[in-house]
């Protein structure tokens, strides 16, 4: 028997989440069984723990869209018992039981070996949010980061914190947008040189083009903020669109694309092929200073997750929550 956070839905459609004991026989089919060590709390986990945005198809469900741990049994020739592995994406924690469990059974195709230079806790301090931040920075690099500060929106959140630390480490001037002024010191500690108040960028677009300011942008917020930012990008600069914490709509015009050659780059961490995942994890190990990563971490245990799921949907979580599933 081992512990897992089980989410159930009753006949009235109300969900509940509690730590329960289950067995290996309860786990879904898969060719690799992993003794999970750490998982994390991402925005999608908030949706899967709570009433949900249609992400969970079948109940009972075990959320947790990422995990790191040690292979316990494997029918996949690429992995053997004792190997350290990391999982992000592939709809684990949404369509397939995830990492809020002391054991998980998954397809070997969804795993990558633990990147050298990171232990399982550090890998999950990065987690899906940090891995996505790295993909977003790599996409900006592929299209060329222009002179001028690089804007990071939703900066005190998971994606934003890691993007801020990576970009600063790479030598870019980072402007961090936050709705929480009390996080200014934290964001400066991660390397942000400018703190931008959320209200400054949250107004509906009045003019499709404003002064050219930003050499690039990692956007975790979407909505009106993204629309506004598009009109402030430097000529030919790119925005990596990662998330929708501020809304799924995009009340923008095509003018920034037509008259300033702005690139809007969609970032999807879920369906990344193996080679891309390896490349991004190697870059994380190289370009994310571990002291900065440590400054982002808030520790948690399985029983904390129902409350943390609610907090992240309200934008109240700072940095990265690392869940020790064996504590
Ligand atoms: P967090 O909740 O940790 O961070 C989001 C941040 O956005 C908050 O901390 C807050 O930052 C800001 N924010 C929240 N609500 C609003 C609002 N109404 N208006 C403006 N800003 C707001 O989430 P994550 O960093 O884990 O994820 C961020 C987004 O990225 C989510 O939408 C998530 O689903 C998406 N995502 C997408 C992935 C992909 O593959 N494309 C992978 C991972 C995440 P502050 O307080 O500093 O303003």
């Amino acid at each position: 028997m081992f512990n897992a956070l089980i989410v159930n839905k009753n006949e009235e459609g109300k969900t509940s989440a509690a730590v329960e004991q289950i067995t290996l026989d309860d786990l879904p089919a898969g060719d690799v069984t992993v003794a999970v060590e750490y998982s994390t709390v991402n925005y999608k986990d908030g949706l899967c723990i709570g009433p949900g945005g249609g992400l969970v198809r079948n109940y009972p469900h075990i959320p947790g869209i990422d995990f790191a741990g040690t292979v316990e049994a494997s029918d996949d020739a690429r992995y053997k018992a004792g190997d350290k592995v990391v999982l992000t994406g592939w709809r684990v924690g949404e369509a397939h039981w995830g990492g809020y469990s002391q054991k998980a059974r998954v397809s070997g195709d969804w795993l990558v070996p633990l990147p050298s230079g990171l232990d399982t806790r550090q890998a999950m301090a990065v987690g899906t949010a940090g891995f996505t931040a790295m993909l977003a920075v790599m996409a900006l690099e592929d299209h060329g980061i222009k002179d001028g500060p690089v804007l990071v929106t939703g900066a005190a959140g998971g994606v934003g914190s890691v993007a801020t630390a990576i970009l600063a480490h790479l030598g870019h001037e980072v402007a961090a947008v936050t709705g929480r002024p009390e996080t200014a010191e934290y964001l400066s500690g991660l390397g942000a040189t400018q703190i931008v108040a959320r209200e400054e960028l949250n107004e509906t677009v009045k003019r499709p083009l404003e002064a050219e300011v930003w050499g690039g942008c990692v956007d975790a917020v979407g909505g009106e903020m993204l629309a506004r930012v598009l009109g402030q990008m430097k000529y030919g600069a790119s925005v990596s669109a990662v998330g929708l914490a501020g809304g799924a709509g995009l009340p923008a015009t095509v003018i920034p694309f037509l008259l300033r050659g702005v690139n809007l780059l969609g970032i999807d961490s879920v369906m990344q092929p193996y080679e891309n995942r390896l490349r991004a994890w190697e870059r994380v190990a190289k370009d994310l200073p571990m002291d900065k990563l440590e400054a982002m971490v808030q520790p948690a245990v399985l029983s904390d997750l129902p409350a943390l799921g609610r907090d992240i949907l309200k934008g109240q979580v700072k940095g990265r929550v690392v869940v020790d599933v064996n504590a």
Side-chain angles (χ1 to χ4, degrees), residues 22-272:
I22 60 170
T23 70
L24 281 175
D25 290 340
D26 296 318
L27 292 178
D31 42 22
V32 183
T33 305
V34 179
V36 178
E37 291 163 25
Y38 298 97
S39 185
T40 81
V41 180
N42 295 274
Y43 194 86
K44 265 187 182 172
D45 295 313
L47 294 174
C48 292
I49 295 171
L55 296 178
V56 177
R57 293 277 180 262
N58 295 303
Y59 293 90
H61 178 66
I62 299 178
I65 65 168
D66 48 24
F67 62 76
T70 305
V71 171
E72 199 167 87
S74 172
D75 294 328
D76 182 320
R78 292 168 293 181
Y79 299 101
K80 60 179 190 319
D83 287 351
K84 299 281 185 188
V85 288
V86 179
L87 181 143
T88 58
W90 301 94
R91 304 208 62 215
V92 171
E94 304 173 52
H96 185 98
W97 282 7
Y100 294 168
S101 173
Q102 291 174 318
K103 314 264 182 203
R105 196 180 285 132
V106 294
S107 163
D109 289 340
W110 302 337
L111 296 166
V112 292
L114 184 72
S116 63
L118 296 178
D119 60 28
T120 50
R121 183 176 168 282
Q122 288 166 327
M124 279 300 101
V126 176
T128 303
F131 170 74
T132 306
M134 189 73 246
L135 290 176
V137 171
M138 289 163 73
L140 292 185
E141 289 174 343
D142 287 347
H143 288 77
I145 297 177
K146 306 296 176 195
D147 288 342
V150 180
L151 192 71
V152 176
T153 69
V159 174
S161 293
V162 180
T164 298
I166 292 172
L167 285 162
H169 182 72
L170 291 170
H172 299 287
E173 199 185 322
V174 181
V177 186
T178 184
R180 290 179 279 179
E182 67 277 14
T183 63
E185 198 179 325
Y186 162 76
L187 291 167
S188 302
L190 298 182
T193 47
Q194 193 182 335
I195 308 296
V196 180
R198 187 190 292 178
E199 305 79 66
E200 281 182 39
L201 290 172
N202 240 359
E203 295 157 26
T204 313
V205 183
K206 293 191 184 76
R207 286 183 296 139
L209 292 180
E210 299 181 61
E212 294 180 43
V213 185
W214 316 116
C217 173
V218 174
D219 174 55
V221 168
E224 289 182 1
M225 191 181 291
L226 173 55
R228 183 88 193 274
V229 165
L230 287 171
Q232 299 182 348
M233 300 306 295
K234 290 223 165 165
Y235 190 91
S238 303
V239 178
S240 285
V242 170
L244 42 62
L250 184 56
T253 76
V254 292
I255 305 292
F257 308 111
L258 304 183
L259 298 187
R260 292 225 178 118
V262 171
N263 303 302
L264 183 57
L265 313 173
I267 305 300
D268 171 41
S269 66
V270 177
M271 306 306 277
Q272 287 292 325

